[in-house]
Amino acid sequence: MSLEFVEYPAQGEHKATVIWLHGLGDSGEGFAPVAPQLQLPSELGLRFIFPHAPVQPVTINGGMEMRSWYDIKSIELDKRADEQGVRDSAAKVEQLINQEIANGIAADKIILAGFSQGGVVALHLAPRFEQKLAGVMALSTYMCVPEKLADEALHTDLNIFMAHGSQDNVVPPSAGKSAFEVLTALSMDVSWQEYPMAHQVCAEELQAIRHWLIARLS
């Protein structure tokens, strides 16, 4: 079943797309207000897609059902991301990317973005996707099966924007830094930004995202 989503349509002719994945327990609505806030130039023709993760039981939350890209069985970082769940969600997001390509948007005009759990899926999918994307935005996130990336990556020259809060007590900055190091070791073009914030997104970070998107898609 394909993912449902909310969208912010391109202002003017549709030329590029950002697919932005939310975090645990959130929905596509959570980040949708960010699209107009970025005040991107209309000539970029940028459409934003904010998919909703499927509703499923989450083990660490007592099996409570909520929107989640994968189950979390343990708070320990190396066991936190359920690999099969990540791969299943990545396959669903891949359908959205392929839909955009079928609609005439080239892969090098598509950005995959994700916050927290969504970032895990974005970092997993983009290097393994058959075509090279314009870039990845990985916010306050970490990596699933980092030890498998070198063998499975089809692209090791991806441009990746990473940002994290120095006071994040949900996903410690060290987890993001560790993903950054894995990606850098593969010669990916990765930048790291740290902000004095918790597990969230701040105004200064949105400003950096705006500049990065313009640079990637102009």
Side-chain angles (χ1 to χ4, degrees), residues 4-142:
E4 292 182 355
F5 57 83
V6 290
E7 71 164 314
Y8 179 74
Q11 310 300 292
E13 188 197 342
H14 179 201
K15 299 177 192 166
T17 301
V18 173
I19 298 173
W20 194 319
L21 312 176
H22 62 75
L24 177 67
D26 198 1
S27 74
E29 314 279 354
F31 276 105
V34 165
Q37 279 170 23
L38 288 169
Q39 295 183 324
L40 290 158
S42 58
E43 58 270 19
L44 283 186
L46 193 50
R47 175 194 193 204
F48 283 83
I49 295 176
F50 300 97
H52 305 302
V55 173
Q56 56 185 324
V58 176
T59 306
I60 58 154
N61 289 347
M64 199 159 88
E65 295 209 343
M66 60 184 66
R67 290 200 181 278
S68 175
W69 295 108
Y70 50 85
D71 190 17
I72 298 178
K73 297 187 171 87
S74 161
I75 209 71
E76 288 173 64
L77 269 157
D78 57 340
K79 301 184 189 74
R80 193 181 286 191
D82 166 52
E83 183 184 346
Q84 194 50 53
V86 171
R87 290 184 188 275
D88 291 347
S89 281
K92 292 189 174 91
V93 175
E94 196 166 319
Q95 288 176 353
L96 287 179
I97 299 174
N98 284 328
Q99 231 168 319
E100 288 303 287
I101 293 170
N103 290 341
I105 303 301
D108 65 4
K109 289 288 181 187
I110 297 174
I111 300 262
L112 189 53
F115 175 81
S116 197
Q117 256 207 350
V120 173
V121 175
L123 281 178
H124 184 87
L125 173 57
R128 293 169 173 86
F129 185 68
E130 57 197 1
Q131 296 186 56
K132 187 183 164 192
L133 300 176
V136 182
M137 210 157 75
L139 313 176
S140 306
T141 193
Y142 55 103

Side-chain angles (χ1 to χ4, degrees), residues 83 144-151 182:
E83 183 184 346
C144 175
V145 292
E147 69 283 357
K148 295 187 181 178
L149 185 62
D151 288 337
V182 170

